């Protein structure tokens, strides 16, 4: 599928509305907050769209959502795009300074906020004269802000979609980098059917019979793609989970209750679930036919443990906010555990050296991606945009190695790579060795300067229950490294820690370990 196959004037609310003729009465979304049919969703989308228009939102203006994953998040998102606005699903785990930046950078006119999150953002609301309305979902008694459901109650359930060009922007996603404030990535209406077809249908084979469930939240593009856009594009239902992503037992309980067929997970959650003793006997997860992973590399040991316990093979896939979704993936029946698989249809990748020259098979290079769903720039970031968006090609910042069979192996971020004794060292390789020890649940390698000021690998190690960071265990881990790694790759320091610092979306923050 190509963008040019879409009508020139296309509004992405078609992904919802294409279901109305044939399955308006089918359940579109399930959650502990209740369920809604495609017809009911469409009615509410139209009411919200009408309320936004009445509130003065015009074409191209931004409307922000700050809310846990629940039906109102979804209906608001489609309503904003339907009237030609730009939908901003805010990360629910940020601090006031970041919300302040995002409200200023996006110039959001309306904020739709859940009562449980209001306290996070309320201190900075007064800083923005571009923000006209704050609408509250949940308990609004005594609050100065209108209640969401009263705000839409009198609105008509019909609404004509704005005549958006397929290249008009319809959503804004803030991506937390390793440094600085989050960067805004704008996606166009055309990107939605593109990713749904290229990933949802062509790679994952989703059909109307499926039911998706994601631990990656809707504000994270991996989550909204896998758990909203892909299922609705084919008429499947999605399960929304408003809980914290790392509560392994709650995730299993949700699977048992709502019986999804497709699980959209991240490596840390697969690891946390696998660490629960006899989890596959204690919880009924037989409804699952497919497990997807992304966000960071899925260690082969986690892949194998999951397969042994459940019989299911996790598909490790990689995407990024800039391409919106997946561009490389392991395909069912052709999995190389520990690899990111191969490029998917619609995307080309290259591995290049520092001068932009393609590197040969077996050599680590910088990953570049080309595909039609790629964003054009970072909002208000000319400098960073020039570095990342290089004509048709996107510079991902990832380091990869392609093997002789064409599979791609992640070697860490470009900025995480270490040069030790003049030789490249990939943190991932050392972590793989440490992770292979039974006592280790997760670990991270960073570069640390020794007394002579030379960069050497340092390990931060988390241990499973019943294990202690004794001298004996330290010796065992160092011996393990010595037997599997070249001398320059062996960690010179090992620090036992309770947890590794991670971003709201679960990515390891190596810069915090370096600090
Ligand atoms: C890293 C991976 C190794 C990699 C995302 C699937 O994660 C997503 O988007 P983000 O913008 O981060 C992108 C960066 O994350 N990464 C993601 N997946 C993997 N590294 N193996 C993987 N499987 O550094 C990449 O550049 O937050 C993931 C679909 C859509 C997405 N946006």
């Amino acid at each position: 599928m190509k963008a040019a196959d879409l009508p020139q004037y296309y509004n992405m609310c078609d992904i919802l509305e294409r279901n109305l003729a044939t399955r308006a009465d089918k359940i579109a979304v399930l959650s502990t907050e209740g369920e809604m049919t495609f017809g009911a969703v469409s009615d509410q989308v139209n009411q919200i769209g009408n309320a936004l228009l009445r509130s003065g939102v015009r074409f191209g203006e931004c409307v922000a959502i700050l809310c846990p994953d629940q039906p109102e998040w979804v209906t608001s998102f489609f309503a904003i795009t339907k009237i030609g606005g730009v939908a901003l699903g805010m990360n629910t785990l940020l601090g006031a300074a970041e919300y302040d930046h995002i409200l200023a950078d996006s110039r959001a006119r309306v904020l739709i906020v859940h009562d449980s999150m209001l306290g996070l953002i309320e201190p900075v609301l007064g800083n923005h004269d571009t923000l006209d309305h704050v609408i509250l979902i949940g308990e609004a008694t005594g609050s100065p802000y209108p209640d969401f459901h009263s705000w839409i109650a009198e609105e008509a359930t019909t609404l004509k979609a704005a005549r958006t060009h397929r290249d008009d922007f319809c959503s804004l996603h803030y991506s937390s980098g390793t440094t600085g404030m989050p960067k805004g990535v704008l996606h166009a209406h055309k990107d939605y059917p593109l990713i749904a077809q290229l990933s949802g249908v062509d790679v994952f084979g989703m059909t109307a019979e499926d039911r998706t469930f994601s631990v990656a939240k809707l504000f994270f593009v991996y989550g909204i793609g896998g758990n909203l856009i892909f299922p609705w594009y084919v008429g499947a239902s999605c399960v929304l989970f408003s809980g914290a992503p790392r509560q392994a037992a709650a995730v299993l309980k949700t699977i048992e209750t709502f019986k999804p067929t497709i699980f959209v997970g991240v490596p840390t959650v697969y690891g946390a679930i696998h660490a629960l003793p006899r989890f596959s006997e204690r919880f009924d997860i037989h409804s699952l036919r497919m497990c997807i992973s992304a966000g960071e590399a899925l260690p082969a040991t986690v892949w194998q443990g999951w397969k042994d316990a459940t019989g299911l093979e996790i598909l490790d896939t990689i995407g990024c906010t800039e391409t919106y979704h997946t561009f490389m993936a392991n395909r069912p029946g052709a999995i190389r555990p520990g690899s990111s698989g191969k490029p998917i249809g619609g995307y080309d990748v290259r591995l290049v050296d520092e001068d932009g020259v393609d590197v040969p098979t077996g050599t680590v290079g910088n990953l570049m991606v080309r595909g039609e769903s790629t964003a054009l720039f970072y909002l208000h970031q000319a400098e960073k945009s020039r570095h990342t968006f290089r004509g048709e090609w996107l510079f991902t910042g990832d380091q990869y190695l392609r093997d002789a069979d064409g599979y791609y192996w992640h070697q860490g971020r470009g900025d995480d790579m270490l040069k030790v004794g003049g030789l490249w060292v990939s943190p991932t390789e050392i972590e793989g060795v440490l992770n292979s020890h039974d006592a280790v649940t997760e670990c991270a390698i960073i570069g640390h300067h020794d007394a002579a000021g030379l960069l050497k690998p340092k390990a931060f190690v988390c241990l499973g229950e019943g294990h202690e960071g004794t001298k004996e265990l330290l010796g065992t881990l160092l011996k393990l490294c010595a037997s599997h790694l070249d001398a320059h790759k062996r960690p010179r320091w090992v620090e036992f820690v309770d947890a590794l610092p991670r971003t709201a979306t679960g990515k390891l923050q190596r810069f915090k370990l370096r600090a």
Side-chain angles (χ1 to χ4, degrees), residues 70-381:
Q70 61 184 60
E72 289 92 339
W73 195 109
V74 170
T75 49
S76 298
F77 190 87
F78 273 89
I80 298 160
T81 64
K82 186 165 180 178
I83 65 164
V86 175
L88 162 54
M90 283 179 156
N91 185 329
T92 56
L93 302 162
L94 301 178
E98 280 133 329
Y99 290 125
D100 201 30
H101 166 75
I102 292 172
L103 286 175
D105 195 53
S106 66
R107 302 193 185 95
R109 293 273 324 265
V110 176
L111 168 68
I112 298 172
V113 58
H114 190 266
D115 62 5
S116 66
M117 319 236 124
L118 181 62
L120 296 175
I121 199 168
E122 202 167 23
V124 301
L125 291 180
N127 301 347
H128 305 279
D129 53 14
T130 40
L131 182 65
D132 287 341
H133 301 277
V134 176
I135 311 296
L136 197 62
I137 300 171
E139 188 46 68
T141 321
S143 150
Y145 311 114
D147 161 65
F148 179 87
H149 288 280
S150 319
W151 179 62
I152 64 170
E154 303 300 319
E155 299 293 344
T157 54
T158 52
L159 170 68
K160 198 166 174 288
R163 189 166 178 266
T164 46
H165 194 284
R166 65 187 176 215
D167 289 336
D168 272 319
F169 297 124
C170 75
S171 60
L172 178 54
H173 308 265
Y174 280 84
S175 172
S176 41
T178 40
T179 54
M181 281 290 166
K183 309 181 292 290
V185 179
L186 283 158
H187 277 286
H189 286 268
K190 73 171 191 340
D191 300 340
Y192 284 76
L194 275 174
I195 59 159
Q197 182 65 42
L198 297 174
S199 296
V201 176
D202 297 349
V203 176
F204 303 127
M206 280 192 202
T207 72
E209 308 311 313
D210 278 309
R211 180 178 283 190
T212 60
F213 168 53
S214 174
V215 293
K217 298 293 172 192
L218 293 168
F219 65 72
F220 183 21
V221 277
Y222 173 50
I224 187 179
N227 203 31
L228 181 62
I229 305 305
F230 301 176
W232 284 11
Y233 182 74
V234 297
S237 318
C238 62
V239 176
L240 300 182
F241 172 63
S242 57
R246 268 163 242 144
Q247 296 165 347
V251 169
L252 289 163
K253 189 82 206 142
T254 307
I255 297 175
E256 189 170 83
T257 307
F258 292 104
K259 306 201 173 357
T261 59
I262 296 180
F263 180 55
V264 180
V266 295
T268 42
V269 172
Y270 285 111
I273 291 176
H274 189 247
L276 290 180
R278 295 183 300 104
F279 77 91
S280 52
E281 294 161 38
R282 283 160 55 210
F283 296 90
D284 179 6
I285 60 167
H286 288 100
S287 61
L288 294 179
R289 73 167 179 87
M290 184 182 285
C291 296
I292 303 169
S293 179
E296 60 180 320
L298 179 75
T301 47
V302 175
W303 186 91
Q304 192 60 53
W306 189 263
K307 175 156 193 207
D308 293 344
T310 66
L312 293 163
E313 299 186 331
I314 305 172
L315 303 178
D316 189 5
T317 64
I318 175 170
C320 62
T321 309
E322 292 82 350
T323 61
Y324 205 124
H325 223 271
T326 316
F327 54 79
M328 289 203 288
N330 281 285
R331 256 50 77 80
I335 298 173
R336 291 283 159 93
S339 87
S340 304
K342 296 181 176 184
I344 69 168
Y347 297 85
D348 302 304
V349 308
R350 289 169 65 193
L351 298 180
V352 300
D353 65 16
E354 297 312 312
D355 301 320
V357 178
D358 291 79
V359 300
T361 295
T363 304
V364 176
N366 299 300
L367 180 73
M368 310 270 284
V369 185
R370 176 169 66 183
E372 281 194 299
S373 66
T374 307
L376 300 175
F377 55 86
Y378 296 124
L379 184 61
H380 306 139
Q381 296 272 6

